[in-house]
Amino acid sequence: MKLRIIFGLAGVTVAILLAVVTVRTILVNPPPQPDIAPVKDIIIDKGAAAKRLARAVQFRTISHGPDAPVAAAAFRGLHDFIRGTFVNVHKHLKRETVNELSLLYTWEGTDPSLKPILLLAHMDVVPVEPGTEKSWTHSAFDGAVSDGFVWGRGTMDMKASMMGILEAVEYLLAKSFAPKRTVYLAFGHDEEIGGYEGAAKIAALLQARRVRFAFTLDEGLVVTHGLLPGVEKPVALIGIAEKGIVTLKLSAHGPGGHGSMPPPYSAIARLGRALARLEDQPMPVALRAPVARMFDHVMAEMPLS
């Protein structure tokens, strides 16, 4: 009898849940998609652009850590490659080296009354975890172009963004385009270990010059195909919401003694329990705009199911 009652209550609960989900789905009113006219007549040699990205990947601009030597030669090699590849960029834009290894470009606009914009990327990459080299389809720094992809460390994070920005500016300059707003391009060299010597120095320089921006565009997510269930169109994911960060230093003290007579609760055991309790208390999760707005718009492209 009790089992019948329990199963009956469970069935009613599931039915109510399904009813609520169904009604909410039917009544949902997603915002209309903005009607944006596609830009036409952009002819890019994709193969050549892929090879240029592949070459950038081959520079081992690795950030190992704050106490490790900086791969200065690799960064300078990448600088020389950029200078020799994007001729119009270096002919028309002001180029500055910040703190020896980061780059800052200024593309003067035609209307100085407008606030400028800032496009960012970083040149450094994280190292390959020792022992995993054989797991790579292509070696991390070979810059292989194969099966329709560019392979290697930095192809997504984030040499692709840097090269994409430079490719776009080079293309526009070849078309004699002149921006109304001044455009800054900033490429740091140590983002993977905090950006204190790269992005922070660039920010301090711009602040000292009292430069204020209309907006900045930095590292985000990618244009995906088939990643969101039920959505057939390509989806550009908005990736500007992040988890928070906190750094803690824990210490535990205990009495000394011989290892043959350990105490019931040693310092290391108490430290382990403290770490476990911290891991069990993650930061709260919240879905905020504009990420929530992205899902609202994606929802309009999903089938009812």
Side-chain angles (χ1 to χ4, degrees):
M1 184 67 179
K2 289 183 178 180
L3 285 176
R4 290 175 62 185
I5 294 174
I6 292 173
F7 282 121
L9 291 174
V12 171
T13 302
V14 171
I16 293 174
L17 177 61
L18 290 174
V20 171
V21 170
T22 302
V23 171
R24 284 177 59 87
T25 303
I26 294 173
L27 295 180
V28 72
N29 185 25
Q33 298 286 28
D35 186 16
I36 305 297
V39 178
K40 299 180 180 180
D41 302 325
I42 295 181
I43 301 175
I44 298 290
D45 186 338
K46 295 181 180 179
K51 289 180 180 179
R52 287 189 284 268
L53 172 59
R55 181 70 185 101
V57 168
Q58 293 172 1
F59 293 95
R60 296 173 178 258
T61 52
I62 303 171
S63 285
H64 289 282
D67 300 322
V70 179
F75 282 104
R76 293 192 177 100
L78 180 57
H79 294 182
D80 292 340
F81 166 71
I82 292 172
R83 185 187 292 108
T85 301
F86 300 102
V87 178
N88 285 323
V89 170
H90 289 81
K91 180 179 179 181
H92 297 282
L93 274 64
K94 177 185 175 183
R95 176 187 182 274
E96 298 176 84
T97 303
V98 180
N99 199 18
E100 298 186 15
L101 298 178
S102 289
L103 296 174
L104 177 64
Y105 293 88
T106 306
W107 190 5
E108 293 291 347
T110 58
D111 188 347
S113 68
L114 297 175
K115 285 185 177 180
I117 64 174
L118 175 63
L119 308 179
L120 301 108
H122 62 84
M123 296 178 283
D124 62 318
V125 298
V126 295
V128 176
E129 184 178 352
T132 66
E133 293 85 355
K134 292 183 179 180
S135 300
W136 289 68
T137 304
H138 298 277
S139 296
F141 296 100
D142 279 359
V145 181
S146 177
D147 301 323
F149 297 95
V150 180
W151 300 73
R153 181 67 98 208
T155 50
M156 294 178 66
D157 186 11
M158 159 180 217
K159 287 179 179 176
S161 293
M162 178 188 71
M163 295 298 287
I165 291 169
L166 291 169
E167 293 277 1
V169 175
E170 184 78 6
Y171 174 88
L172 291 171
L173 288 169
K175 299 293 183 180
S176 301
F177 174 83
K180 289 184 178 181
R181 298 178 186 271
T182 293
V183 180
Y184 287 85
L185 316 178
F187 306 137
H189 72 275
D190 67 336
E191 187 272 351
E192 296 292 0
I193 53 174
Y196 302 109
E197 300 301 321
K201 301 294 185 183
I202 294 173
L205 176 64
L206 294 172
Q207 185 178 35
R209 294 175 180 174
R210 298 186 178 182
V211 179
R212 299 186 66 85
F213 295 102
F215 73 87
T216 65
L217 181 65
D218 198 359
E219 184 171 359
L221 291 178
V222 294
V223 179
T224 63
H225 299 263
L227 182 65
L228 296 183
V231 182
E232 296 182 358
K233 295 181 179 180
V235 178
L237 299 177
I238 306 300
I240 61 172
E242 298 183 357
K243 62 182 181 296
I245 183 172
V246 61
T247 301
L248 303 174
K249 182 177 181 180
L250 305 182
S251 300
H253 302 275
H258 198 279
S260 63
M261 295 181 291
Y265 300 104
S266 65
I268 192 67
R270 286 187 282 114
L271 191 61
R273 289 190 179 92
L275 291 171
R277 289 179 64 188
L278 278 174
E279 191 173 32
D280 290 338
Q281 299 293 326
M283 293 184 177
V285 176
L287 187 63
R288 299 187 176 93
V291 178
R293 289 176 58 196
M294 177 191 71
F295 284 113
D296 288 339
H297 282 83
V298 169
M299 181 170 51
E301 302 297 329
M302 291 182 170
L304 183 65
S305 61

